Amino acid sequence: MSFIDLLIVAIGLSMDAFAVSICKGLAAKKASIFQMLCAGFWFGGFQALMPFLGWLLASRFRIYIEDFDHWVAFILLAAIGINMIREAFSGQKEDTFSSSFGIKTMFIMAVATSIDALAVGITFGLLLNSLTKIIAASLFICLVTFCFSAAGIKIGSVFGRSYEKKAEIAGGIILILLGIKILLEHLHHAIVL
């Protein structure tokens, strides 16, 4: 997995946290440095933890699915991306967000926005074969999500919800395209061999 691929994954995964941060910023009305850092640490931390957990799970079963791992990666990424786009258009999200930055509120939101990162971590288990690589990838995802989340708080307090839907759609499209790229690379590699 190249740096560009990892950057694309990190941006795609951070879009849920970014959208929620925009709403949190809207609810908070005026964004403080504490609120920006709080959102960044919570969302970034869970976006780092979940891929690592997914990688641990998938690495245990790698030998059983090596022949079709590219299909698994494609299906997982496409499903996550489609779900993000569907949620953006469905309007099923809660209309009001609590302005609380308390532990319980932030924990629930951090888990909710990082579930897709667990599935991506399973994909990483098929693509990354060392502990060093998954730790580096998880920390990079953490950093990107931290930045997007902190910025989302500020943007939400200034501009409101007009960017929430667009962020989720962009994140979904990014993940679908990455899944297609992985699939095409593996199919091309199989044809060449």
Side-chain angles (χ1 to χ4, degrees):
M1 176 172 264
S2 72
F3 174 77
I4 297 298
D5 290 341
L6 182 58
L7 178 62
I8 290 169
V9 167
I11 291 170
L13 288 176
S14 68
M15 289 299 107
D16 271 352
F18 180 60
V20 170
S21 294
I22 289 172
C23 293
K24 291 291 288 176
L26 178 67
K29 305 268 191 280
K30 185 173 175 163
S32 69
I33 294 294
F34 167 77
Q35 291 168 331
M36 293 168 66
L37 292 175
C38 181
F41 281 118
W42 275 102
F43 294 134
F46 272 82
Q47 289 288 3
L49 176 66
M50 292 298 202
F52 182 75
L53 294 176
W55 177 84
L56 283 175
L57 244 157
S59 62
R60 304 280 183 238
F61 301 103
R62 176 183 223 146
I63 59 170
Y64 302 112
I65 58 174
E66 281 180 326
D67 293 337
F68 54 92
D69 61 355
H70 51 285
W71 285 103
V72 173
F74 166 71
I75 291 168
L76 286 173
L77 291 172
I80 294 165
I82 290 167
N83 190 50
M84 286 175 73
I85 294 168
R86 184 190 56 78
E87 282 181 1
F89 284 110
S90 73
Q92 292 177 345
K93 293 209 172 213
E94 195 172 307
D95 285 337
T96 57
F97 276 77
S98 167
S99 60
S100 170
F101 283 82
I103 291 172
K104 182 180 176 185
T105 302
M106 294 306 294
F107 176 80
I108 291 168
M109 287 198 285
V111 170
T113 58
S114 63
I115 294 298
D116 53 352
L118 180 68
V120 169
I122 292 170
T123 303
F124 282 173
L126 307 172
L127 302 173
L128 304 175
N129 56 5
S130 77
L131 183 61
T132 307
K133 288 180 182 177
I134 187 59
I135 290 173
S138 294
L139 290 176
F140 184 73
I141 291 168
C142 175
L143 177 66
V144 170
T145 304
F146 178 93
C147 293
F148 270 98
S149 299
I153 296 291
K154 186 65 174 176
I155 290 168
S157 71
V158 175
F159 296 108
R161 293 190 189 195
S162 58
Y163 293 105
E164 177 187 13
K165 184 176 179 179
K166 292 173 184 161
E168 282 197 276
I169 292 169
I173 290 170
I174 287 169
L175 292 177
I176 291 168
L177 291 175
L178 185 63
I180 292 169
K181 179 184 179 289
I182 291 169
L183 179 64
L184 292 177
E185 282 177 352
H186 282 271
L187 292 176
H188 173 68
H189 180 69
I191 291 170
V192 171
L193 292 178

